């Protein structure tokens, strides 16, 4: 699929001149580093319920920011008035912030070196920009989905939604890097709700959010479209079965976990735990720390020998995929867990300089692996999650073969609620649906299920991962971090996987009902 060009309406904005003015003024004031970031982020959200469009919003965030290193400290300021005078003022404000911060900075700021990329352009991979599709057309799709779902006897109510984002960024720094980028992402979905004799429950789509365009909804399988028709056809029947399903008996079970559920466990127990700022304690005040502390690098047995996890900001259609990060670093892929052992972290340029050994001998001064991101021009870039993914076995088994290895267990499909402690160690997860496995065969749904473990016990119990044919990208639009809070989208790929001897809770009993 050929990549489209950058939106001409963005290219018409005066970001190049504003960047030149800002950086020139920062240099005049004696900074050791300055970068300029100009952003336009457009977000659209439509929601329907029971055949009626309930809400539609279309929001644009536009502005620019200047970040400097001056007197060994960070300075940052932003603005929304697109004039040279404002560009100059914002640069002066960033330097003033650094001058105040310098008196409180005990360790001078250093950033890892990075090659210069002079006037490069990157656009994400999609076919149809969702913002080129009329809102009425998108609304008709959503209301149609809910009407079709409600034809199922078990469905009392149905909702559907779509979120779309087009993110444009221009970056320039005093080293000479200039990047212009555009990426598009989509999250469609639906949910059917119903009541049984003694319960209320729902069944949602397991379609993941993706770095694709409207072709994900209205295209063909060759375009990467999800099979919405097939899923809408089966969900009412799946919900009916779930409402009548027996409550699970708590105990220890083998689990076969589908990627539509496992991606979230990866996000919470690996993705966040291997963010280096968290592992070093920088997120302790808000988002917590990590059990995977830096002293455990190269020795921590994170999981079984079949566990291989990568960080990747380059995988096609990934939500965290981009050409260059918000510090001008060309994005990469690297190992985080190799043969079950912790071997790497996610980091930005300051942490790359702080821990140069992570970059290897070819980068003696250290290097970022491209994980800096800010969700708007009003926020400073921070270390954010790459597409953190569990790799399949090259000649690994199918999902059916993994199920066939289990005498007594559960097959888990779709994500739902989750809970994990601040060190990313103790957790429990539920799912959209759980099927009993008896003697290698699926034996119908059960409900009221959650699986509970510690991170290392859980990943240590992983006996097998499926082959490439079972691998899928899951993900989320709404990963939160930092103070002030920022939101980032991220994907997590994984195959179906088999886990032995996992503790299963009955959620109704745990809730005291």
């Amino acid at each position: 699929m050929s990549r489209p060009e950058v939106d001409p309406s963005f290219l018409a904005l005066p970001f190049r001149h504003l960047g030149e003015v800002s950086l020139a003024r920062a240099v005049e004031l004696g900074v050791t580093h300055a970068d300029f970031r100009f952003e336009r982020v457009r977000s659209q959200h439509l929601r329907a319920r029971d055949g009626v469009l309930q809400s539609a919003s279309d929001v644009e965030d536009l502005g620019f920011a200047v970040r400097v290193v001056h007197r060994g400290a960070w300075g940052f300021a932003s603005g929304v008035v697109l004039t040279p005078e404002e560009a100059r003022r914002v640069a002066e404000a960033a330097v003033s912030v650094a001058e105040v911060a310098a008196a409180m900075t005990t360790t001078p700021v250093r950033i890892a070196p990075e090659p210069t990329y002079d006037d490069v352009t990157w656009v994400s991979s999609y076919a149809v920009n969702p913002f080129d599709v009329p809102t009425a057309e998108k609304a008709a799709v959503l209301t149609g989905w809910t009407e079709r779902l409600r034809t199922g006897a078990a469905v009392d109510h149905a909702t559907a939604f779509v979120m779309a984002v087009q993110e444009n960024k221009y970056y320039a720094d005093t080293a000479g890097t200039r990047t212009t980028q555009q990426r598009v992402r989509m999250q469609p979905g639906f949910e059917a709700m119903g009541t049984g004799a003694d319960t209320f429950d729902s069944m949602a789509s397991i379609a993941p959010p993706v770095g694709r365009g409207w072709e994900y909804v209205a295209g063909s399988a060759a375009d990467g479209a999800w099979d919405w028709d097939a899923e809408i056809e089966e969900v009412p029947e799946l919900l009916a079965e779930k409402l009548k399903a027996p409550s699970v008996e708590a105990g220890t079970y083998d689990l076969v976990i589908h990627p539509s559920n496992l991606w979230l466990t990866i996000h919470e127990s690996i993705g966040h735990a291997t963010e280096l700022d968290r592992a070093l304690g920088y997120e302790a005040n808000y988002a917590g720390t990590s059990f995977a502390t830096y002293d455990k690098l190269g020795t921590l047995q994170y999981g079984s020998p079949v566990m291989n996890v990568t960080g990747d900001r380059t995988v096609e259609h990934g939500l965290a995929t981009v050409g260059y990060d918000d510090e001008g670093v060309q994005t990469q892929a690297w190992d985080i867990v190799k043969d079950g052992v912790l071997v790497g972290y996610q980091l930005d340029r300051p942490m790359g300089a702080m821990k140069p050994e992570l970059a290897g001998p070819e980068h003696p001064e250290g290097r970022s692996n491209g994980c800096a991101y800010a969700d708007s021009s009003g926020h400073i870039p921070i270390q954010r999650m790459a597409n953190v993914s569990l790799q399949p076995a090259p000649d690994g088994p199918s999902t059916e073969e993994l199920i066939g290895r289990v005498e007594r267990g559960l097959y888990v499909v779709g994500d739902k609620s989750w809970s994990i402690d601040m060190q990313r160690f103790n957790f429990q997860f539920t799912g959209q649906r759980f099927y009993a496995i008896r003697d290698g065969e699926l034996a119908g749904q059960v409900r009221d299920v959650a699986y509970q473990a510690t991170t290392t016990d859980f990943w240590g119990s992983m006996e097998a991962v499926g082959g490439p044919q079972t691998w899928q990208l899951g993900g989320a639009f709404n990963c939160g971090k930092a103070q002030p809070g920022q939101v980032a989208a991220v994907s997590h790929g994984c195959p179906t996987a088999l886990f032995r001897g996992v503790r299963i809770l009955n959620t109704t009993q745990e809730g005291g009902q």
Side-chain angles (χ1 to χ4, degrees):
M1 181 187 299
S2 61
R3 284 189 168 91
E5 297 181 351
V6 177
D7 189 335
S9 67
F10 178 75
L11 295 177
L13 296 169
F15 50 80
R16 290 182 182 272
H17 182 53
L18 298 180
E20 291 169 0
V21 171
S22 290
L23 295 179
R25 182 54 179 155
V27 170
E28 286 176 1
L29 294 172
V31 303
T32 55
H33 168 86
D35 53 57
F36 172 87
R37 184 169 39 88
F38 185 101
E39 296 198 28
R40 185 181 71 181
V41 182
R42 185 178 174 188
S43 305
Q44 188 178 72
H45 187 191
L46 281 70
R47 179 170 290 274
R49 177 183 171 93
D50 296 344
V52 177
L53 183 68
Q54 286 197 314
S55 62
S57 65
D58 197 324
V59 178
E60 181 177 279
D61 183 60
L62 176 66
F64 65 92
V66 177
R67 186 182 67 158
V68 303
V69 179
H70 183 56
R71 297 184 183 176
W74 285 118
F76 175 82
S78 62
V80 296
V81 179
L82 308 185
T83 64
E85 294 77 17
E86 179 70 353
R88 183 181 178 91
R89 185 200 67 79
V90 168
E92 293 169 347
V95 172
S96 295
V97 170
E99 288 174 341
V100 173
M104 300 176 283
T105 301
T106 56
T107 302
V109 171
R110 294 173 54 244
I111 60 174
E114 180 67 17
T116 297
Y117 310 100
D118 186 14
D119 207 9
V120 292
T121 298
W122 182 91
V123 180
S124 65
S125 181
Y126 62 92
V128 181
N129 191 321
F131 293 96
D132 292 338
V133 179
T135 300
E137 183 177 331
K138 288 178 274 197
V141 169
L142 299 183
T143 56
W145 285 356
T146 63
E147 289 170 342
R148 290 167 61 190
L149 288 165
R150 292 183 71 210
T151 62
V155 180
D156 297 324
H157 299 285
T159 61
F161 70 92
V162 63
M163 291 185 283
V165 176
Q166 178 180 308
E167 183 180 282
N168 289 98
K169 292 193 181 189
Y170 171 77
Y171 171 93
D173 62 30
T174 48
T177 286
R178 291 178 295 159
T179 67
T180 305
Q181 301 186 90
Q182 176 170 301
R183 58 176 174 162
V184 164
R185 52 188 177 268
M186 291 269 298
Q187 182 172 18
F190 62 77
E191 186 172 19
M193 292 150 278
T195 54
D198 60 350
T199 188
F200 168 86
D201 218 319
S202 67
M203 188 71 68
S205 168
I206 61 170
V210 291
R212 294 182 184 269
W214 188 246
E215 69 277 4
Y216 186 54
V217 174
S220 65
D223 299 323
W226 187 258
D227 194 343
W228 300 98
D229 289 340
E231 193 176 30
I232 288 169
E233 183 72 24
E234 71 175 357
V235 157
E237 296 179 7
L238 292 170
L239 175 60
E241 181 186 0
K242 185 178 183 180
L243 290 169
K244 297 176 182 178
S247 191
V248 72
E249 180 182 344
T252 300
Y253 292 75
D254 296 337
L255 300 184
V256 176
I257 305 182
H258 187 267
S260 58
N261 181 274
L262 192 57
W263 76 265
L264 184 55
T265 311
I266 292 169
H267 178 87
E268 299 297 344
S269 68
I270 306 173
H272 279 305
T274 59
E275 293 176 309
L276 186 54
D277 58 347
R278 178 188 287 271
L280 294 175
Y282 285 85
E283 282 287 303
N285 188 53
Y286 170 57
T289 55
S290 172
F291 78 96
T293 51
Y294 193 75
D295 59 300
K296 297 183 177 72
L297 182 69
T299 60
L300 175 64
Q301 194 68 43
Y302 215 109
S304 72
V306 301
M307 182 185 188
N308 292 285
V309 176
T310 59
D312 189 348
R313 295 208 71 191
T314 68
V315 62
E316 190 172 30
H317 306 305
L319 295 173
T321 296
V322 71
Y324 304 86
D325 79 351
D326 285 0
E327 293 181 325
V329 176
Q330 188 172 43
T331 51
Q332 305 143 49
W334 69 99
D335 291 328
I336 294 176
V337 176
K338 187 72 173 174
D339 300 328
V341 177
L342 176 68
V343 296
Y345 290 94
Q346 306 161 72
L347 58 151
D348 57 15
R349 287 181 75 173
M351 286 183 285
M354 188 185 306
K355 301 294 183 184
E357 61 272 19
L358 286 170
E362 66 273 23
H363 298 285
E365 297 180 78
R367 191 187 181 201
S368 166
N369 48 33
C371 288
Y373 175 75
D375 66 0
S376 76
S377 59
H379 287 152
I380 194 167
I382 58 173
Q383 186 272 304
R384 292 310 306 260
M385 202 181 298
N387 303 302
V388 174
S389 298
L390 175 68
Q391 297 306 304
D395 299 313
S398 67
T399 297
E400 292 73 21
E401 288 171 322
L402 291 172
I403 291 170
R405 297 183 188 184
V406 175
E407 292 185 8
R408 177 179 180 269
L410 297 170
Y411 175 47
V412 189
V413 179
D415 63 86
K416 206 167 187 183
S417 66
W418 55 272
S419 177
I420 193 165
D421 70 10
M422 297 296 275
Q423 286 198 312
R424 304 286 140 172
F425 194 62
N426 294 285
F427 65 72
Q428 65 182 45
F429 288 82
T430 64
Q432 285 294 321
R433 50 190 186 265
F434 293 81
Y435 296 89
I437 303 174
R438 298 190 189 117
D439 298 323
E441 300 285 343
L442 296 183
Q445 290 188 56
V446 294
R447 55 188 173 94
D448 306 324
V449 184
Y451 60 91
Q452 188 277 326
T454 65
T455 294
T456 50
D457 283 348
F458 178 76
W459 293 108
S461 75
M462 186 167 64
E463 179 180 281
V465 293
Q469 73 276 21
T470 74
W471 195 88
Q472 294 182 10
L473 270 177
F477 258 40
N478 59 344
C479 177
K481 188 176 179 180
Q483 292 177 297
Q486 298 192 37
V487 175
V490 59
S491 292
H492 302 285
C494 56
T496 304
L498 169 61
F499 300 80
R500 296 293 190 184
V502 180
R503 184 185 180 198
I504 294 298
L505 307 177
N506 182 297
T507 56
T508 299
Q509 294 172 358
E510 292 291 323
Q513 300 179 9

